[in-house]
Amino acid sequence: MWFSVAHEDSSKNVSPQKRGKVVIISGPSGVGKGTLVKRLISESSFPLVLSVSATTRPPRPGEVNGRDYWFISRDEFLEKRANGEFLESFEVYEGGALYGTLRETVETQIRQGKWVLLEIDVKGALCVMKELPESLSVFILPPSLEALKERLLNRGTEKGEDLSRRLEQAEKEISFNKFYKERIVNDNLDKAFEELVKVLASYN
Ligand code: 5GP
């Protein structure tokens, strides 16, 4: 399995700096984790790469296939899942789209010494934490549920039923924050970013 490759590397004469890492970032929809992740990749000096997940949800305006997600059909997703191509895969919202981390993407980047960022939901995160207990897991919290609702409304990508589903889900997701190694409240984007950089630096 791919993660045993990383363990084997550590026991051989591979410089520890060369070994890749896995950094899991979760948080409810609208908490700003996407923005934080983009800033981490463009502004920090860590050898970070974002693992591009596959999803069956349609692209939002401005999203690019292969950059934001691999947008695939449900049939294609189920075929990949049956072939064991996902490290983890879940229906993030009940009755909704499927999302999954591609094993090959993570495996290749870990071997190249990269820090692979997984921006995934709590179910997927717990699954990866179990397989890779040495991975760094960070949960991004909103200052309050009210603030989160406002952000989702301002984003304007979810409306009506989808919005209330995401909020309901947000409450459930937040209750999982205790399983993460680190928690950061995103009250102010710059401050949250600074904290995130500190957390990653201490993991270095
Ligand atoms: P969105 O539809 O807003 O892009 O993402 C919805 C949720 O799916 C977010 O919480 C995001 O972290 C999660 N997600 C994105 N990709 C994956 C993945 O590959 N696996 C899992 N388990 N969750 C994912």
Side-chain angles (χ1 to χ4, degrees), residues 132-145:
L132 287 171
E134 72 277 21
S135 60
L136 173 65
S137 51
V138 186
F139 196 92
I140 312 292
L141 288 156
S144 67
L145 272 179

Side-chain angles (χ1 to χ4, degrees), residues 162-176:
D162 204 20
L163 175 67
S164 46
R165 205 150 44 113
R166 278 183 186 245
L167 280 171
E168 207 176 291
Q169 179 80 7
E171 268 188 89
K172 273 190 220 152
E173 293 215 338
I174 288 168
S175 70
F176 279 81

Side-chain angles (χ1 to χ4, degrees), residues 53-175:
S53 296
T55 183
T56 61
R57 85 149 164 75
R60 296 191 184 119
E63 283 185 330
V64 175
N65 190 39
R67 186 193 67 188
D68 299 288
Y69 282 105
W70 295 106
F71 296 100
I72 60 176
S73 69
R74 203 169 182 92
D75 282 352
E76 215 179 319
F77 194 103
L78 294 177
E79 197 186 319
K80 283 186 184 295
R81 182 144 86 177
N83 290 339
E85 290 181 45
F86 290 115
L87 172 59
E88 58 76 35
S89 67
F90 285 96
E91 190 178 74
V92 175
Y93 305 107
E94 218 177 293
L98 296 164
Y99 296 81
T101 304
L102 290 156
R103 201 176 274 279
E104 176 65 27
T105 307
V106 180
E107 188 178 341
T108 307
Q109 290 165 339
I110 289 273
R111 279 202 219 100
Q112 291 170 354
K114 302 279 194 223
W115 292 18
V116 188
L117 260 178
L118 306 181
E119 191 201 317
I120 57 178
D121 88 316
V122 292
K123 289 173 282 184
L126 289 183
C127 188
V128 178
M129 281 178 210
K130 202 169 163 211
E131 287 201 20
L132 287 171
E134 72 277 21
S135 60
L136 173 65
S137 51
V138 186
F139 196 92
I140 312 292
L141 288 156
S144 67
L145 272 179
E146 225 8 75
L148 188 70
K149 185 177 177 183
E150 207 131 294
R151 281 187 208 171
L152 279 172
L153 278 168
N154 289 341
R155 189 163 85 175
T157 48
E158 280 80 31
K159 292 189 177 66
E161 208 179 301
D162 204 20
L163 175 67
S164 46
R165 205 150 44 113
R166 278 183 186 245
L167 280 171
E168 207 176 291
Q169 179 80 7
E171 268 188 89
K172 273 190 220 152
E173 293 215 338
I174 288 168
S175 70

